[in-house]
Amino acid sequence: MSDALDATPYDALLLLSFGGPEGPDDVVPFLENVTRGRGIPKERLKEVGQHYFLFGGVSPINDQNRALLEALRKDFAEHGLDLPIYWGNRNWAPYLTDTLREMVADGRRRVLVLATSAYASYSGCRQYRENLADSLAELAAEGLEPPRVDKLRHYFNHPGFLDPMIDGVLQCLADLPEDVRAGAHIAFTTHSIPTASADTSGPAESHGEGGAYVEEHLDVAQLIADAVRERTGVDHPWRLVYQSRSGAPHIPWLEPDICDHLETLHGAGAPAVVMAPIGFVSDHMEVLYDLDTEATAKAEELGLPVRRSATVGDDPRFAAAVRDMVLERAGVENGQEVTPCALGALGASHHLCPVGCCPSRTPRPAAAGADSPYA
């Protein structure tokens, strides 16, 4: 490796995340941002916000993003990659549009985007791309010249994302009482989404039952389960399950729910369970409440020993994976022959989201894809 790494033609990296409240007074305005256009009454939002109020009205996601920013900057500096890193959110400060405006003022013209979502889905990919298009349009309306933005590929099967999760599951198994350890089941969890959204996730050729969203999670779960078997000599039973459902009861969402699954496992005589939140980059509210609070309470009610493994967070291996993907994408843009780093049966994801990928119910412009109005 040379002393200085070159990300040309890119002159900045943007960490794009969901955002979260940073105090009790922020909770309802934050939820209004998240649910804008759905007509949800403020009183209902106050009820939903109880999850946040249990934690002082503060979502952990912002501090987790600050820690990831620090890890990325440290890794880039140590490896001679001179690429400034910015941070913008969809639903709370620092807002995406404000960050892009700052980047324009700083002279940034070619921007790579790292979204804090590893898998293909509307809410995990295209909606971020729609947010980017909205912000770029706002800058253009202000008379600014919007930068060109490209999004890093999905990284669900990059070793730098997988290895920390493998270690987390192994640590949880080691922490279980010895008499239940060998028989422990692994419940790989991710955010439930409407089945209609799952079925149309990923490129058009991936559409079908569960789409790319389910397929990618199953591939990750199998990779982790295989690695655990190789390191422990034990083939632990596992299943992909879901959490954090938030939709109307009459709309089908992916199942089973983690709490229902714990009841099923207990009824079948499972001696212990490791909950592995593979669908999440960090230990944000949906991990802390839905798993550490709600699911753990269910397990205690059942008398079922349970452990929850860590998410990737600011693990140095994940920061190194981001650097790897930045250089990979720069190489692609420069016409170099690049071999993406990916494990499992699915291979590396596409660099450019194709037309028809993770479509929205109401078509909207989306940046950083083959159908982007900002080429």
Side-chain angles (χ1 to χ4, degrees):
M1 182 180 294
S2 62
D3 291 336
L5 301 177
D6 187 6
T8 304
Y10 299 105
D11 54 18
L13 176 69
L14 168 63
L15 175 65
L16 177 55
S17 194
F18 192 82
E22 305 229 50
D25 293 341
D26 296 343
V27 173
V28 171
F30 162 74
L31 292 173
E32 287 175 332
N33 287 342
V34 174
T35 61
R36 192 173 306 283
R38 301 183 200 173
I40 299 177
K42 183 170 287 190
E43 290 307 310
R44 174 59 182 151
L45 294 179
K46 289 180 180 177
E47 293 176 19
V48 174
Q50 291 306 312
H51 295 181
Y52 290 98
F53 292 128
L54 288 174
F55 294 87
V58 178
S59 169
I61 194 170
N62 289 332
D63 278 345
Q64 290 162 3
N65 280 325
R66 293 182 184 103
L68 178 56
L69 281 170
E70 183 178 343
L72 291 170
R73 288 168 176 154
K74 181 175 184 290
D75 178 272
F76 284 16
E78 288 177 348
H79 290 83
L81 178 56
D82 184 15
L83 189 70
I85 308 173
Y86 296 75
W87 170 33
N89 291 323
R90 282 168 47 177
N91 299 299
W92 203 249
Y95 287 104
L96 172 60
T97 303
D98 295 337
T99 299
L100 284 171
R101 191 181 292 113
E102 177 189 356
M103 297 175 83
V104 170
D106 289 346
R108 311 304 176 194
R109 302 303 314 146
R110 289 291 303 273
V111 177
L112 263 178
V113 177
L114 167 67
T116 53
S117 176
Y119 301 84
S121 71
Y122 171 74
S123 57
C125 184
R126 186 175 178 91
Q127 191 170 13
Y128 282 108
R129 294 175 49 223
E130 291 175 352
N131 297 145
L132 282 165
D134 291 343
S135 293
L136 294 172
E138 190 169 337
L139 296 187
E142 295 171 2
L144 300 174
E145 184 180 353
R148 174 174 166 178
V149 296
D150 291 325
K151 182 176 174 291
L152 288 174
R153 64 177 173 90
H154 302 303
Y155 45 84
F156 62 93
N157 56 4
H158 194 290
F161 185 67
L162 287 164
D163 288 345
M165 294 191 293
I166 293 167
D167 287 349
V169 172
L170 290 168
Q171 289 167 10
C172 284
L173 288 169
D175 189 53
L176 284 168
E178 189 173 356
D179 60 332
V180 299
R181 187 180 305 150
H185 287 236
I186 305 173
F188 294 105
T189 76
T190 190
H191 206 302
S192 183
I193 61 175
T195 56
S197 179
D199 293 347
T200 56
S201 57
E205 60 269 21
S206 296
H207 294 177
E209 186 174 356
Y213 186 74
V214 172
E215 183 181 42
E216 290 169 1
H217 281 87
L218 287 173
D219 199 42
V220 167
Q222 187 66 66
L223 284 163
I224 296 174
D226 288 348
V228 169
R229 185 186 64 251
E230 290 169 4
R231 297 190 197 182
T232 66
V234 179
D235 193 4
H236 290 272
W238 64 269
R239 183 168 184 179
L240 176 64
V241 299
Y242 303 93
Q243 62 173 92
S244 312
R245 175 183 172 135
S246 60
H250 68 280
I251 298 175
W253 282 52
L254 293 173
E255 296 177 334
D257 177 78
I258 177 61
C259 289
D260 295 337
H261 184 57
L262 292 175
E263 288 190 340
T264 299
L265 289 178
H266 178 255
V273 180
V274 170
M275 299 183 295
I278 61 173
F280 307 95
V281 171
S282 64
D283 288 5
H284 51 55
M285 186 59 69
E286 286 158 320
V287 175
L288 294 185
Y289 182 81
D290 295 337
L291 294 183
D292 292 358
T293 304
E294 195 172 51
T296 299
K298 171 59 71 175
E300 290 175 354
E301 172 192 319
L302 296 168
L304 181 64
V306 67
R307 300 290 186 273
R308 195 269 294 173
S309 65
T311 52
V312 172
D314 60 347
D315 191 289
R317 290 169 291 184
F318 182 47
V322 174
R323 168 173 41 87
D324 176 65
M325 291 187 294
V326 165
L327 297 174
E328 173 192 301
R329 184 58 184 270
V332 169
E333 291 299 304
N334 289 323
Q336 300 170 4
E337 186 173 338
V338 174
T339 302
C341 188
L343 302 177
L346 300 179
S349 182
H350 47 260
H351 290 291
L352 188 69
C353 291
V355 176
C357 192
C358 304
S360 55
R361 288 169 297 191
T362 303
R364 292 175 53 198
D371 55 353
S372 172
Y374 299 97

